[in-house]
Amino acid sequence: MYGKALLVVLAMFSVSSAYAAQEKSKMPLQEGIPFAEQRDRIRTDLRGGETYAEITAEDRSAVLAALERIDQKLVNKAGSVLSETDKLAVFNDQELVNSLLVRAREDSRLICRRERPVGSNRPQNICISVAQRREARENARDLMHNQVSSQAPIID
């Protein structure tokens, strides 16, 4: 009995650690890879407009500013150990960059569906990004809300 329970716990732990390792590999800034290489790749991806197509101008400038701050901390301390406050600042900037870029990458992901246009039996691929789907859903919700609000019954 205990053997089966132990196997289940071990299986769940191995699945969760594999998932955590997979999630960590999706992060734009990672440990063990030279910062300059990662910084250049992120800047290239931001200029390319595909990987982070849905990033806002505000988020783009925040990412670039955080990368610059990290670069300054690492250049100023080249060859020496960072102080605790510098480590904390670099860690916070790394988390900011990772969170903004992961969200932008997810928003830029395309979702394709096969749909038949009205009046046709021939299906077509319709591909839109996650952010475009969310915006269309919000616009439809707002439109419905405005329609319902404008048709409020008149009470005598």
Side-chain angles (χ1 to χ4, degrees), residues 94-105:
Q94 179 182 355
E95 289 298 309
L96 174 71
V97 168
N98 283 338
S99 66
L100 292 176
L101 291 181
V102 165
R103 185 177 65 211
R105 183 176 49 216

Side-chain angles (χ1 to χ4, degrees), residues 26 31-32 37 54 68 87 92 104 118 127 137 143 149 153:
K26 292 181 181 180
E31 291 181 32
E37 179 183 315
E54 298 294 334
E68 187 62 33
K87 284 180 185 178
N92 288 337
V118 175
C127 297
R137 184 176 55 243
L143 181 64
S149 298

Side-chain angles (χ1 to χ4, degrees), residues 19-154:
Y19 179 74
Q22 182 184 18
E23 286 300 309
K24 186 172 176 116
S25 70
K26 292 181 181 180
M27 294 295 168
L29 285 177
Q30 300 175 12
E31 291 181 32
I33 301 172
F35 173 73
E37 179 183 315
Q38 295 181 72
R39 179 198 59 217
D40 294 341
R41 181 180 35 81
I42 290 171
R43 286 181 178 164
T44 302
D45 289 345
L46 283 172
R47 276 193 301 269
E50 282 185 29
T51 307
Y52 305 115
E54 298 294 334
I55 192 167
T56 64
E58 181 180 313
D59 287 349
R60 178 187 306 268
S61 63
V63 166
L64 292 174
L67 288 174
E68 187 62 33
R69 287 191 302 268
I70 292 171
D71 197 30
Q72 289 302 315
K73 297 277 187 204
L74 296 178
V75 167
N76 290 340
K77 300 291 183 175
S80 63
V81 177
L82 291 173
S83 68
E84 290 300 316
T85 57
D86 286 345
K87 284 180 185 178
L88 182 62
V90 167
F91 177 79
N92 288 337
D93 283 336
Q94 179 182 355
E95 289 298 309
L96 174 71
V97 168
N98 283 338
S99 66
L100 292 176
L101 291 181
V102 165
R103 185 177 65 211
R105 183 176 49 216
E106 288 298 315
D107 284 349
S108 299
R109 188 172 47 93
L110 286 179
I111 298 176
C112 298
R113 295 187 314 183
R114 298 230 357 122
E115 294 181 358
R116 290 185 184 159
V118 175
S120 173
N121 284 331
R122 199 169 164 187
Q124 296 178 345
N125 281 336
I126 308 295
C127 297
I128 58 174
S129 70
V130 171
Q132 290 170 329
R133 285 181 69 155
R134 182 176 46 247
E135 185 177 344
R137 184 176 55 243
E138 289 170 0
N139 289 342
R141 185 180 311 127
D142 291 344
L143 181 64
M144 290 299 293
H145 180 71
N146 291 340
Q147 289 289 334
V148 169
S149 298
S150 67
Q151 295 177 359
I154 299 174

